[in-house]
Amino acid sequence: NIATIFQANKITLNNSFLETNLLEDKKGIFTISSIEEEYSDYTNAQLFLENNTIKVNNTSEYFKTTPLLYVENTNSKINLDKNKITYGDEILLSVITSNKYRPKTTTLTITDTTIKGNILVDTNSEARINLNNVTYTGTVNGNNESQSVDVILDKTSKWYVTGHSYI
């Protein structure tokens, strides 16, 4: 994958060109996770990507199945702003929390971007999706499993719903 964030760490990438061949089966192109459950309640991992070109080469057998963003067992804040992203387009975001008594929240804010891919949120997780001047194509919480999912579109955004979505 391109980057992995553990615990309450933060990655900010601006004006970069990032490319991967995905030679192994990875959880996500960008992975955010916590292995210490007791600390993840009070922290937010953060990923900020602005004005980047991000490319996953389609020569990989994992091109279509690897999520762009994968969040596991942690609260997180992700901002995608003015990026040009080429990946398999199947899964934009996958959020998983293993402990049903300690739900985690992921906030994804996308600005000035055209993007595709489904957003998957499991039964022990919550998501807040903010779209600002975005054209988004995909489903959100298609299995209707999440604790909660909020989607906020500003008046300049468009969401092309490709299947059942539960918000």
Side-chain angles (χ1 to χ4, degrees), residues 67-82:
L68 178 65
L69 305 163
Y70 180 86
V71 179
E72 181 177 40
N73 292 323
T74 191
N75 296 306
S76 63
K77 182 178 180 181
I78 303 167
N79 288 358
L80 305 177
D81 188 5
K82 299 177 191 138

Side-chain angles (χ1 to χ4, degrees), residues 6 8 37-38 50 58-59 83-85 103 116-117 122 129 147 158 163 167:
F6 287 108
E37 182 75 25
E38 68 267 17
E50 183 177 354
N58 64 3
T59 56
N83 294 288
K84 187 169 123 180
I85 302 171
K116 295 179 182 178
D122 81 346
I129 314 300
Q147 295 252 333
K158 295 176 185 163
I167 56 176

Side-chain angles (χ1 to χ4, degrees), residues 80-143:
L80 305 177
D81 188 5
K82 299 177 191 138
N83 294 288
K84 187 169 123 180
I85 302 171
T86 304
Y87 75 109
D89 293 342
E90 190 169 315
I91 303 170
L92 170 60
L93 171 66
S94 180
V95 182
I96 296 171
T97 303
S98 58
N99 187 336
K100 69 180 180 179
Y101 300 108
R102 298 173 97 154
K104 303 294 183 245
T105 301
T106 293
T107 301
L108 172 62
T109 302
I110 306 173
T111 305
D112 297 328
T113 303
T114 297
I115 197 158
K116 295 179 182 178
N118 298 327
I119 295 174
L120 311 174
V121 185
D122 81 346
T123 57
N124 302 326
S125 301
E126 301 174 350
R128 292 183 180 90
I129 314 300
N130 302 304
L131 304 175
N132 305 307
N133 195 30
V134 170
T135 300
Y136 168 61
T137 303
T139 64
V140 174
N141 192 29
N143 292 333

Side-chain angles (χ1 to χ4, degrees), residues 6-106:
F6 287 108
Q7 306 298 94
N9 291 301
K10 175 181 174 180
I11 292 178
T12 300
L13 295 169
N14 298 313
N15 304 308
S16 298
F17 177 82
L18 306 164
E19 183 176 18
T20 183
N21 288 320
L22 281 178
L23 299 176
E24 299 175 27
D25 188 12
K26 297 288 186 179
K27 291 181 178 181
I29 297 161
F30 292 93
T31 299
I32 301 171
S33 68
S34 177
I35 54 175
E36 296 183 34
E37 182 75 25
E38 68 267 17
Y39 299 115
S40 66
D41 286 343
Y42 311 106
T43 60
N44 281 309
Q46 298 177 39
L47 174 64
F48 300 116
L49 303 173
E50 183 177 354
N51 202 32
N52 298 292
T53 298
I54 300 165
K55 181 180 180 186
V56 179
N57 291 320
N58 64 3
T59 56
S60 166
E61 65 182 288
Y62 309 108
F63 175 74
K64 288 203 178 270
T65 57
T66 302
L68 178 65
L69 305 163
Y70 180 86
V71 179
E72 181 177 40
N73 292 323
T74 191
N75 296 306
S76 63
K77 182 178 180 181
I78 303 167
N79 288 358
L80 305 177
D81 188 5
K82 299 177 191 138
N83 294 288
K84 187 169 123 180
I85 302 171
T86 304
Y87 75 109
D89 293 342
E90 190 169 315
I91 303 170
L92 170 60
L93 171 66
S94 180
V95 182
I96 296 171
T97 303
S98 58
N99 187 336
K100 69 180 180 179
Y101 300 108
R102 298 173 97 154
K104 303 294 183 245
T105 301
T106 293

